[in-house]
Amino acid sequence: MTSPTAAAAPDDAHADAHTATRAVTRLSVAVAVVLIALKAFALGASGSVSILASLADSALDLVASLGIFFAVRWAAAPADEDHRYGHGKGEALAALVQAGLVFASALFIGWEAVQRIFDPRPVTSGYWGVLVILISIALTGWLVWMQGRAMRKSGSMAVAADRAHYASDLAANGVVLIGVISGTFLAAPGLDAAAGLIVAVWLFWGALAVLKTAADHLVDKAVPDADRIAITTAVLADPRISGVHQLRTRMAGAVTMIQMHIDLEPTLTLDAAHAIVVEAENRLLAAFPRADILIHPDPRGRAESYPGVFVESGQDGLR
């Protein structure tokens, strides 16, 4: 039982969130293109393996950012006959692809770095490399800040994954800067290769985090315990609701899907029960503005069991 009144309240917020998400994905693509051009120039001038690692990462950043660019637009599409729960999981799928690309980048960079450790090559024109990496750090830092603003508005998992990657790029660029300086001014090209290897390990670790988050969404993992407690607390704030059972939650992109049964006085009229449900939905929307809520009222003491339906441990019969 879902109320149009309850659902309509966050519409404007959703529109603003989608606008912010679309804008920051365009910005992500533009920054990736600029960084590729700068790093390609620096690589040609210096031959640094650290810059090669950073260039490979930026190239995959562009592919990933393009994937995110299209994914958030598909995920924002309204529910239709074939996707009655909406398209939110498109964001998780895009994040999964992004994690795969980052894994590939880490393997390539690691292989190249190991080869250069055993066969060091001098870094030339390091001044250009240092300048390009400093510009890259500034651009990436600005993008991460903009993505953080958009993420707070939209809760987009795809933007969060993209932001996590670019945030790791900030640290990686710092390591690259150390490598280029070491190879240029300290005549220690082995340190340059070692810096590239550190970047590879850093990217691999970041990809694992993105992969886990995307997988949790795709396999319908429940929201954290703290959120489930907040959900039941908000619903049971009305003393007319004596219990919550068969609470089920999952994430679909930025949308929290919430379903439950509640226990009500059996003598209530349909209008009265409906009003109680609408109030409960509004309390949930206040705590979870991007929620899709389905509440089924049961007469107290007469709730039917549904064979084959999983009931969350610790949530059945909450009072």
Side-chain angles (χ1 to χ4, degrees):
M1 182 180 290
T2 305
S3 164
T5 303
D11 280 351
D12 290 341
H14 285 178
D16 291 341
H18 291 321
T19 299
T21 301
R22 288 192 294 267
V24 82
T25 56
R26 288 194 296 269
L27 180 62
S28 178
V29 171
V31 168
V33 170
V34 172
L35 291 180
I36 286 173
L38 288 172
K39 291 176 183 178
F41 168 76
L43 177 63
S46 68
S48 166
V49 70
S50 295
I51 291 181
L52 172 64
S54 189
L55 173 60
D57 181 42
S58 291
L60 286 179
D61 282 350
L62 177 59
V63 175
S65 293
L66 285 170
I68 298 295
F69 176 87
F70 292 109
V72 297
R73 283 153 180 77
W74 189 80
D80 54 35
E81 287 297 324
D82 294 326
H83 304 87
R84 300 308 295 267
Y85 287 96
H87 301 77
K89 286 194 176 182
E91 290 197 11
L93 186 60
L96 192 66
V97 172
Q98 185 186 53
L101 291 172
V102 178
F103 276 128
S105 176
L107 290 174
F108 168 74
I109 293 167
W111 175 256
E112 186 67 22
V114 169
Q115 286 187 314
R116 291 292 184 94
I117 288 174
F118 292 103
D119 181 22
R121 301 175 190 176
V123 176
T124 60
S125 302
Y127 292 101
W128 283 112
V130 170
L131 178 61
V132 166
I133 295 302
L134 287 174
I135 295 173
S136 298
I137 289 174
L139 281 175
T140 304
W142 176 60
L143 175 61
V144 167
W145 179 71
M146 294 295 291
Q147 288 174 323
R149 290 182 59 190
M151 195 174 66
R152 284 189 291 273
K153 286 184 179 181
S154 67
S156 169
M157 194 195 73
V159 172
D162 209 28
R163 182 179 184 272
H165 187 194
Y166 278 105
S168 70
D169 282 356
L170 275 177
N173 280 326
V175 175
V176 170
L177 183 62
I178 294 172
V180 175
I181 290 175
S182 299
T184 303
F185 304 108
L186 302 180
L191 292 179
D192 172 57
L197 187 59
I198 292 173
V199 172
V201 174
W202 189 281
L203 290 175
F204 190 87
W205 186 260
L208 282 177
V210 173
L211 178 64
K212 182 183 181 302
T213 301
D216 286 346
H217 281 235
L218 290 173
V219 300
D220 291 337
K221 183 178 179 179
V223 300
D225 288 342
D227 287 342
R228 281 182 282 180
I229 291 172
I231 289 169
T232 55
T233 299
V235 173
L236 294 174
D238 187 338
R240 295 172 296 178
I241 300 175
S242 57
V244 172
H245 56 280
Q246 293 190 7
L247 171 62
R248 290 186 285 176
T249 61
R250 64 183 176 90
M251 294 298 299
V255 178
T256 304
M257 313 293 289
I258 303 173
Q259 299 180 18
M260 73 184 73
H261 290 218
I262 61 174
D263 296 323
L264 298 177
E265 173 60 42
T267 59
L268 288 173
T269 65
L270 179 60
D271 280 344
H274 176 73
I276 293 172
V277 169
V278 169
E279 291 175 16
E281 289 172 341
N282 285 328
R283 290 195 300 276
L284 286 173
L285 286 171
F288 302 90
R290 290 180 288 271
D292 185 301
I293 305 165
L294 181 62
I295 299 178
H296 176 83
D298 285 328
R300 186 185 306 121
R302 303 182 196 172
E304 298 179 358
S305 61
Y306 295 88
V309 175
F310 175 74
V311 180
E312 290 180 283
S313 175
Q315 301 295 334
D316 192 35
L318 285 173
R319 299 182 63 81

